[in-house]
Amino acid sequence: MRRVAIVIALVVILIAGTAFTAGPGTLSVLDGMMGGGRGTARVREGVRFGTHGQKLDVWRPSGGAKTGLPVLIFWYGGGWVHGSRSAYAFAARAYATAGYVVVMPDYRKVPDVRFPAFLQDGAEAVKWTRDHIEASGGDPNRIAVAGHSAGAYTVAMLTLDPRWLRAEGVDPRIIKAAVGLCGPYDFYPFTARRAIDAMQGAADPVMTQPIHFARRDAPPMLLVSAGDDTQVKAHNADNLTAKLTGLGAPVRHVDYPGLSHEDVAMALSKPFRGKATVLADSVAFLNRAMR
């Protein structure tokens, strides 16, 4: 056992700085090696949903209550180009250890699609969750959403702009709380190549911006930014927080100085949870909002 622990420690040291850049899947493997999945179970894998062959996984605590658990739908990042639900298993396991039934959906990506396909896929994932999560022990009346980077964009748009859920026959009030980790919310005019490519389908670019849909009756939102994020600048969270606050909507902004864009996601994993209290802070927020 001691030898195994030493080997694991060496692996952590060797890839500590490259776990995320090598691919989130590498981080999920490392997370599993370090016990990140202890106390959780993937109870559904590769479940088809929606109208374009999308798939999702469902994770939950392996012990405790069997029914009535709060639900979190988590969308991964990747600039609307990369990412997969299996690669981000570390994030699903993290929130499952906190007592949540976690739905991790895939979505269509650039260049196969453009705006608003990924939002439509997101809305279909919410619809599936509403209709089926009870079978996995989740409470369909307590659904929150969370995501990182491009996934946080989906979170903000589904939370603030009701047209996407309404188009699927879902009451937008189904979302009880939202957590956006390093998400783009106010990025027009577009300057980044990925944003330009992803938003090509928009007749009116302003209508792609979450900040445009800020409203007083929005559910509680937690917006997380990173002090050293060079990919999604902190003004996105700053501006949306200011807009929501001015309208009287419940919002909290937390910035983690010294963290990069990737660090915020890595901090959800077991090996790198010491980077910042991202998991603890977001779980505390969700628990209060879902009470």
PDB file of all heavy atoms in Angstrom, residues 230-258:
ATOM      1  N   THR A 230      -6.748  34.245 -18.649  1.00  0.00           N
ATOM      2  CA  THR A 230      -6.461  34.986 -19.878  1.00  0.00           C
ATOM      3  C   THR A 230      -7.396  34.599 -21.020  1.00  0.00           C
ATOM      4  O   THR A 230      -7.336  35.188 -22.096  1.00  0.00           O
ATOM      5  CB  THR A 230      -5.004  34.748 -20.320  1.00  0.00           C
ATOM      6  OG1 THR A 230      -4.812  33.345 -20.560  1.00  0.00           O
ATOM      7  CG2 THR A 230      -4.024  35.228 -19.261  1.00  0.00           C
ATOM      8  N   GLN A 231      -8.270  33.618 -20.790  1.00  0.00           N
ATOM      9  CA  GLN A 231      -9.176  33.152 -21.834  1.00  0.00           C
ATOM     10  C   GLN A 231     -10.551  33.814 -21.740  1.00  0.00           C
ATOM     11  O   GLN A 231     -11.098  34.270 -22.739  1.00  0.00           O
ATOM     12  CB  GLN A 231      -9.328  31.630 -21.756  1.00  0.00           C
ATOM     13  CG  GLN A 231      -8.023  30.884 -22.009  1.00  0.00           C
ATOM     14  CD  GLN A 231      -8.220  29.386 -21.993  1.00  0.00           C
ATOM     15  OE1 GLN A 231      -9.119  28.851 -22.626  1.00  0.00           O
ATOM     16  NE2 GLN A 231      -7.378  28.687 -21.241  1.00  0.00           N
ATOM     17  N   VAL A 232     -11.108  33.827 -20.537  1.00  0.00           N
ATOM     18  CA  VAL A 232     -12.387  34.506 -20.296  1.00  0.00           C
ATOM     19  C   VAL A 232     -12.126  35.552 -19.223  1.00  0.00           C
ATOM     20  O   VAL A 232     -11.985  35.223 -18.048  1.00  0.00           O
ATOM     21  CB  VAL A 232     -13.480  33.522 -19.846  1.00  0.00           C
ATOM     22  CG1 VAL A 232     -14.784  34.269 -19.581  1.00  0.00           C
ATOM     23  CG2 VAL A 232     -13.706  32.450 -20.915  1.00  0.00           C
ATOM     24  N   LYS A 233     -12.046  36.783 -19.632  1.00  0.00           N
ATOM     25  CA  LYS A 233     -11.643  37.853 -18.720  1.00  0.00           C
ATOM     26  C   LYS A 233     -12.700  38.098 -17.638  1.00  0.00           C
ATOM     27  O   LYS A 233     -13.899  37.876 -17.835  1.00  0.00           O
ATOM     28  CB  LYS A 233     -11.399  39.143 -19.501  1.00  0.00           C
ATOM     29  CG  LYS A 233     -10.308  39.008 -20.561  1.00  0.00           C
ATOM     30  CD  LYS A 233      -8.959  38.677 -19.929  1.00  0.00           C
ATOM     31  CE  LYS A 233      -7.871  38.479 -20.981  1.00  0.00           C
ATOM     32  NZ  LYS A 233      -7.614  39.658 -21.799  1.00  0.00           N
ATOM     33  N   ALA A 234     -12.225  38.577 -16.485  1.00  0.00           N
ATOM     34  CA  ALA A 234     -13.092  38.745 -15.319  1.00  0.00           C
ATOM     35  C   ALA A 234     -14.218  39.743 -15.542  1.00  0.00           C
ATOM     36  O   ALA A 234     -15.226  39.718 -14.839  1.00  0.00           O
ATOM     37  CB  ALA A 234     -12.262  39.172 -14.104  1.00  0.00           C
ATOM     38  N   HIS A 235     -14.088  40.618 -16.558  1.00  0.00           N
ATOM     39  CA  HIS A 235     -15.149  41.599 -16.779  1.00  0.00           C
ATOM     40  C   HIS A 235     -16.477  40.922 -17.099  1.00  0.00           C
ATOM     41  O   HIS A 235     -17.545  41.495 -16.893  1.00  0.00           O
ATOM     42  CB  HIS A 235     -14.767  42.573 -17.907  1.00  0.00           C
ATOM     43  CG  HIS A 235     -14.927  42.013 -19.279  1.00  0.00           C
ATOM     44  ND1 HIS A 235     -13.880  41.457 -19.982  1.00  0.00           N
ATOM     45  CD2 HIS A 235     -16.013  41.904 -20.094  1.00  0.00           C
ATOM     46  CE1 HIS A 235     -14.310  41.046 -21.159  1.00  0.00           C
ATOM     47  NE2 HIS A 235     -15.605  41.308 -21.257  1.00  0.00           N
ATOM     48  N   ASN A 236     -16.427  39.689 -17.611  1.00  0.00           N
ATOM     49  CA  ASN A 236     -17.671  38.976 -17.904  1.00  0.00           C
ATOM     50  C   ASN A 236     -18.495  38.777 -16.631  1.00  0.00           C
ATOM     51  O   ASN A 236     -19.687  39.095 -16.598  1.00  0.00           O
ATOM     52  CB  ASN A 236     -17.362  37.626 -18.549  1.00  0.00           C
ATOM     53  CG  ASN A 236     -16.949  37.749 -19.990  1.00  0.00           C
ATOM     54  OD1 ASN A 236     -17.783  37.797 -20.884  1.00  0.00           O
ATOM     55  ND2 ASN A 236     -15.631  37.812 -20.227  1.00  0.00           N
ATOM     56  N   ALA A 237     -17.860  38.269 -15.593  1.00  0.00           N
ATOM     57  CA  ALA A 237     -18.560  38.080 -14.320  1.00  0.00           C
ATOM     58  C   ALA A 237     -18.833  39.416 -13.643  1.00  0.00           C
ATOM     59  O   ALA A 237     -19.902  39.623 -13.049  1.00  0.00           O
ATOM     60  CB  ALA A 237     -17.746  37.169 -13.397  1.00  0.00           C
ATOM     61  N   ASP A 238     -17.864  40.341 -13.722  1.00  0.00           N
ATOM     62  CA  ASP A 238     -18.055  41.666 -13.112  1.00  0.00           C
ATOM     63  C   ASP A 238     -19.287  42.362 -13.684  1.00  0.00           C
ATOM     64  O   ASP A 238     -20.143  42.876 -12.946  1.00  0.00           O
ATOM     65  CB  ASP A 238     -16.829  42.555 -13.369  1.00  0.00           C
ATOM     66  CG  ASP A 238     -15.605  42.116 -12.583  1.00  0.00           C
ATOM     67  OD1 ASP A 238     -15.775  41.446 -11.550  1.00  0.00           O
ATOM     68  OD2 ASP A 238     -14.480  42.439 -13.011  1.00  0.00           O
ATOM     69  N   ASN A 239     -19.384  42.388 -15.003  1.00  0.00           N
ATOM     70  CA  ASN A 239     -20.462  43.122 -15.661  1.00  0.00           C
ATOM     71  C   ASN A 239     -21.833  42.483 -15.429  1.00  0.00           C
ATOM     72  O   ASN A 239     -22.818  43.182 -15.192  1.00  0.00           O
ATOM     73  CB  ASN A 239     -20.188  43.241 -17.161  1.00  0.00           C
ATOM     74  CG  ASN A 239     -18.971  44.093 -17.463  1.00  0.00           C
ATOM     75  OD1 ASN A 239     -18.361  44.674 -16.563  1.00  0.00           O
ATOM     76  ND2 ASN A 239     -18.596  44.174 -18.726  1.00  0.00           N
ATOM     77  N   LEU A 240     -21.887  41.154 -15.514  1.00  0.00           N
ATOM     78  CA  LEU A 240     -23.172  40.499 -15.290  1.00  0.00           C
ATOM     79  C   LEU A 240     -23.608  40.631 -13.840  1.00  0.00           C
ATOM     80  O   LEU A 240     -24.796  40.844 -13.558  1.00  0.00           O
ATOM     81  CB  LEU A 240     -23.105  39.021 -15.693  1.00  0.00           C
ATOM     82  CG  LEU A 240     -24.419  38.249 -15.564  1.00  0.00           C
ATOM     83  CD1 LEU A 240     -25.560  38.924 -16.311  1.00  0.00           C
ATOM     84  CD2 LEU A 240     -24.246  36.803 -16.036  1.00  0.00           C
ATOM     85  N   THR A 241     -22.641  40.543 -12.926  1.00  0.00           N
ATOM     86  CA  THR A 241     -22.978  40.738 -11.507  1.00  0.00           C
ATOM     87  C   THR A 241     -23.540  42.131 -11.279  1.00  0.00           C
ATOM     88  O   THR A 241     -24.561  42.302 -10.590  1.00  0.00           O
ATOM     89  CB  THR A 241     -21.737  40.525 -10.631  1.00  0.00           C
ATOM     90  OG1 THR A 241     -21.255  39.193 -10.796  1.00  0.00           O
ATOM     91  CG2 THR A 241     -22.062  40.754  -9.162  1.00  0.00           C
ATOM     92  N   ALA A 242     -22.893  43.137 -11.844  1.00  0.00           N
ATOM     93  CA  ALA A 242     -23.355  44.509 -11.667  1.00  0.00           C
ATOM     94  C   ALA A 242     -24.749  44.702 -12.254  1.00  0.00           C
ATOM     95  O   ALA A 242     -25.603  45.375 -11.648  1.00  0.00           O
ATOM     96  CB  ALA A 242     -22.374  45.477 -12.314  1.00  0.00           C
ATOM     97  N   LYS A 243     -24.996  44.115 -13.420  1.00  0.00           N
ATOM     98  CA  LYS A 243     -26.300  44.258 -14.068  1.00  0.00           C
ATOM     99  C   LYS A 243     -27.401  43.588 -13.236  1.00  0.00           C
ATOM    100  O   LYS A 243     -28.468  44.179 -13.000  1.00  0.00           O
ATOM    101  CB  LYS A 243     -26.238  43.639 -15.460  1.00  0.00           C
ATOM    102  CG  LYS A 243     -27.497  43.823 -16.289  1.00  0.00           C
ATOM    103  CD  LYS A 243     -27.653  45.244 -16.781  1.00  0.00           C
ATOM    104  CE  LYS A 243     -28.857  45.397 -17.727  1.00  0.00           C
ATOM    105  NZ  LYS A 243     -28.600  44.755 -19.037  1.00  0.00           N
ATOM    106  N   LEU A 244     -27.155  42.380 -12.778  1.00  0.00           N
ATOM    107  CA  LEU A 244     -28.145  41.672 -11.970  1.00  0.00           C
ATOM    108  C   LEU A 244     -28.376  42.378 -10.633  1.00  0.00           C
ATOM    109  O   LEU A 244     -29.514  42.503 -10.173  1.00  0.00           O
ATOM    110  CB  LEU A 244     -27.697  40.230 -11.742  1.00  0.00           C
ATOM    111  CG  LEU A 244     -27.771  39.311 -12.972  1.00  0.00           C
ATOM    112  CD1 LEU A 244     -27.014  38.017 -12.720  1.00  0.00           C
ATOM    113  CD2 LEU A 244     -29.221  39.012 -13.336  1.00  0.00           C
ATOM    114  N   THR A 245     -27.293  42.829 -10.019  1.00  0.00           N
ATOM    115  CA  THR A 245     -27.414  43.534  -8.737  1.00  0.00           C
ATOM    116  C   THR A 245     -28.244  44.804  -8.900  1.00  0.00           C
ATOM    117  O   THR A 245     -29.116  45.106  -8.072  1.00  0.00           O
ATOM    118  CB  THR A 245     -26.025  43.884  -8.192  1.00  0.00           C
ATOM    119  OG1 THR A 245     -25.275  42.679  -7.987  1.00  0.00           O
ATOM    120  CG2 THR A 245     -26.136  44.631  -6.867  1.00  0.00           C
ATOM    121  N   GLY A 246     -27.993  45.528  -9.958  1.00  0.00           N
ATOM    122  CA  GLY A 246     -28.749  46.748 -10.207  1.00  0.00           C
ATOM    123  C   GLY A 246     -30.226  46.506 -10.410  1.00  0.00           C
ATOM    124  O   GLY A 246     -31.062  47.370 -10.099  1.00  0.00           O
ATOM    125  N   LEU A 247     -30.564  45.324 -10.922  1.00  0.00           N
ATOM    126  CA  LEU A 247     -31.969  44.970 -11.128  1.00  0.00           C
ATOM    127  C   LEU A 247     -32.617  44.401  -9.874  1.00  0.00           C
ATOM    128  O   LEU A 247     -33.835  44.209  -9.846  1.00  0.00           O
ATOM    129  CB  LEU A 247     -32.068  43.942 -12.267  1.00  0.00           C
ATOM    130  CG  LEU A 247     -31.683  44.447 -13.662  1.00  0.00           C
ATOM    131  CD1 LEU A 247     -31.569  43.268 -14.631  1.00  0.00           C
ATOM    132  CD2 LEU A 247     -32.719  45.447 -14.161  1.00  0.00           C
ATOM    133  N   GLY A 248     -31.785  44.094  -8.883  1.00  0.00           N
ATOM    134  CA  GLY A 248     -32.313  43.515  -7.650  1.00  0.00           C
ATOM    135  C   GLY A 248     -32.379  42.005  -7.657  1.00  0.00           C
ATOM    136  O   GLY A 248     -33.046  41.398  -6.820  1.00  0.00           O
ATOM    137  N   ALA A 249     -31.675  41.366  -8.585  1.00  0.00           N
ATOM    138  CA  ALA A 249     -31.662  39.903  -8.662  1.00  0.00           C
ATOM    139  C   ALA A 249     -30.632  39.331  -7.696  1.00  0.00           C
ATOM    140  O   ALA A 249     -29.602  39.966  -7.419  1.00  0.00           O
ATOM    141  CB  ALA A 249     -31.342  39.460 -10.089  1.00  0.00           C
ATOM    142  N   PRO A 250     -30.861  38.124  -7.182  1.00  0.00           N
ATOM    143  CA  PRO A 250     -29.917  37.503  -6.244  1.00  0.00           C
ATOM    144  C   PRO A 250     -28.694  36.955  -6.964  1.00  0.00           C
ATOM    145  O   PRO A 250     -28.800  36.005  -7.742  1.00  0.00           O
ATOM    146  CB  PRO A 250     -30.739  36.380  -5.596  1.00  0.00           C
ATOM    147  CG  PRO A 250     -31.762  36.034  -6.638  1.00  0.00           C
ATOM    148  CD  PRO A 250     -32.070  37.309  -7.377  1.00  0.00           C
ATOM    149  N   VAL A 251     -27.540  37.549  -6.747  1.00  0.00           N
ATOM    150  CA  VAL A 251     -26.326  37.119  -7.419  1.00  0.00           C
ATOM    151  C   VAL A 251     -25.141  37.300  -6.491  1.00  0.00           C
ATOM    152  O   VAL A 251     -25.111  38.228  -5.674  1.00  0.00           O
ATOM    153  CB  VAL A 251     -26.105  37.912  -8.735  1.00  0.00           C
ATOM    154  CG1 VAL A 251     -25.959  39.393  -8.457  1.00  0.00           C
ATOM    155  CG2 VAL A 251     -24.899  37.381  -9.514  1.00  0.00           C
ATOM    156  N   ARG A 252     -24.175  36.402  -6.625  1.00  0.00           N
ATOM    157  CA  ARG A 252     -22.928  36.506  -5.862  1.00  0.00           C
ATOM    158  C   ARG A 252     -21.766  36.281  -6.811  1.00  0.00           C
ATOM    159  O   ARG A 252     -21.810  35.374  -7.649  1.00  0.00           O
ATOM    160  CB  ARG A 252     -22.889  35.464  -4.737  1.00  0.00           C
ATOM    161  CG  ARG A 252     -21.654  35.605  -3.842  1.00  0.00           C
ATOM    162  CD  ARG A 252     -21.568  34.510  -2.812  1.00  0.00           C
ATOM    163  NE  ARG A 252     -20.343  34.621  -2.031  1.00  0.00           N
ATOM    164  CZ  ARG A 252     -19.701  33.604  -1.462  1.00  0.00           C
ATOM    165  NH1 ARG A 252     -20.185  32.388  -1.570  1.00  0.00           N
ATOM    166  NH2 ARG A 252     -18.600  33.793  -0.770  1.00  0.00           N
ATOM    167  N   HIS A 253     -20.741  37.119  -6.687  1.00  0.00           N
ATOM    168  CA  HIS A 253     -19.548  36.988  -7.516  1.00  0.00           C
ATOM    169  C   HIS A 253     -18.372  36.637  -6.601  1.00  0.00           C
ATOM    170  O   HIS A 253     -18.100  37.322  -5.618  1.00  0.00           O
ATOM    171  CB  HIS A 253     -19.271  38.302  -8.252  1.00  0.00           C
ATOM    172  CG  HIS A 253     -18.003  38.272  -9.057  1.00  0.00           C
ATOM    173  ND1 HIS A 253     -17.289  39.399  -9.390  1.00  0.00           N
ATOM    174  CD2 HIS A 253     -17.297  37.236  -9.596  1.00  0.00           C
ATOM    175  CE1 HIS A 253     -16.224  39.086 -10.083  1.00  0.00           C
ATOM    176  NE2 HIS A 253     -16.206  37.770 -10.225  1.00  0.00           N
ATOM    177  N   VAL A 254     -17.674  35.560  -6.950  1.00  0.00           N
ATOM    178  CA  VAL A 254     -16.473  35.150  -6.213  1.00  0.00           C
ATOM    179  C   VAL A 254     -15.311  35.090  -7.186  1.00  0.00           C
ATOM    180  O   VAL A 254     -15.389  34.418  -8.223  1.00  0.00           O
ATOM    181  CB  VAL A 254     -16.655  33.779  -5.538  1.00  0.00           C
ATOM    182  CG1 VAL A 254     -15.358  33.343  -4.867  1.00  0.00           C
ATOM    183  CG2 VAL A 254     -17.781  33.822  -4.520  1.00  0.00           C
ATOM    184  N   ASP A 255     -14.230  35.794  -6.885  1.00  0.00           N
ATOM    185  CA  ASP A 255     -13.018  35.759  -7.701  1.00  0.00           C
ATOM    186  C   ASP A 255     -11.917  35.051  -6.917  1.00  0.00           C
ATOM    187  O   ASP A 255     -11.759  35.274  -5.709  1.00  0.00           O
ATOM    188  CB  ASP A 255     -12.567  37.173  -8.068  1.00  0.00           C
ATOM    189  CG  ASP A 255     -11.350  37.147  -8.979  1.00  0.00           C
ATOM    190  OD1 ASP A 255     -11.525  36.890 -10.180  1.00  0.00           O
ATOM    191  OD2 ASP A 255     -10.229  37.366  -8.471  1.00  0.00           O
ATOM    192  N   TYR A 256     -11.162  34.209  -7.617  1.00  0.00           N
ATOM    193  CA  TYR A 256     -10.053  33.490  -6.992  1.00  0.00           C
ATOM    194  C   TYR A 256      -8.737  34.048  -7.540  1.00  0.00           C
ATOM    195  O   TYR A 256      -8.307  33.676  -8.639  1.00  0.00           O
ATOM    196  CB  TYR A 256     -10.163  31.990  -7.258  1.00  0.00           C
ATOM    197  CG  TYR A 256     -11.386  31.366  -6.628  1.00  0.00           C
ATOM    198  CD1 TYR A 256     -12.535  31.136  -7.384  1.00  0.00           C
ATOM    199  CD2 TYR A 256     -11.410  31.035  -5.281  1.00  0.00           C
ATOM    200  CE1 TYR A 256     -13.665  30.581  -6.809  1.00  0.00           C
ATOM    201  CE2 TYR A 256     -12.539  30.484  -4.701  1.00  0.00           C
ATOM    202  CZ  TYR A 256     -13.658  30.255  -5.466  1.00  0.00           C
ATOM    203  OH  TYR A 256     -14.787  29.715  -4.889  1.00  0.00           O
ATOM    204  N   PRO A 257      -8.088  34.930  -6.803  1.00  0.00           N
ATOM    205  CA  PRO A 257      -6.830  35.529  -7.273  1.00  0.00           C
ATOM    206  C   PRO A 257      -5.767  34.455  -7.486  1.00  0.00           C
ATOM    207  O   PRO A 257      -5.662  33.489  -6.729  1.00  0.00           O
ATOM    208  CB  PRO A 257      -6.436  36.465  -6.123  1.00  0.00           C
ATOM    209  CG  PRO A 257      -7.715  36.724  -5.379  1.00  0.00           C
ATOM    210  CD  PRO A 257      -8.501  35.458  -5.486  1.00  0.00           C
ATOM    211  N   GLY A 258      -4.987  34.636  -8.538  1.00  0.00           N
ATOM    212  CA  GLY A 258      -3.877  33.722  -8.793  1.00  0.00           C
ATOM    213  C   GLY A 258      -4.254  32.460  -9.534  1.00  0.00           C
ATOM    214  O   GLY A 258      -3.371  31.683  -9.915  1.00  0.00           O
TER     215      GLY A 258
END
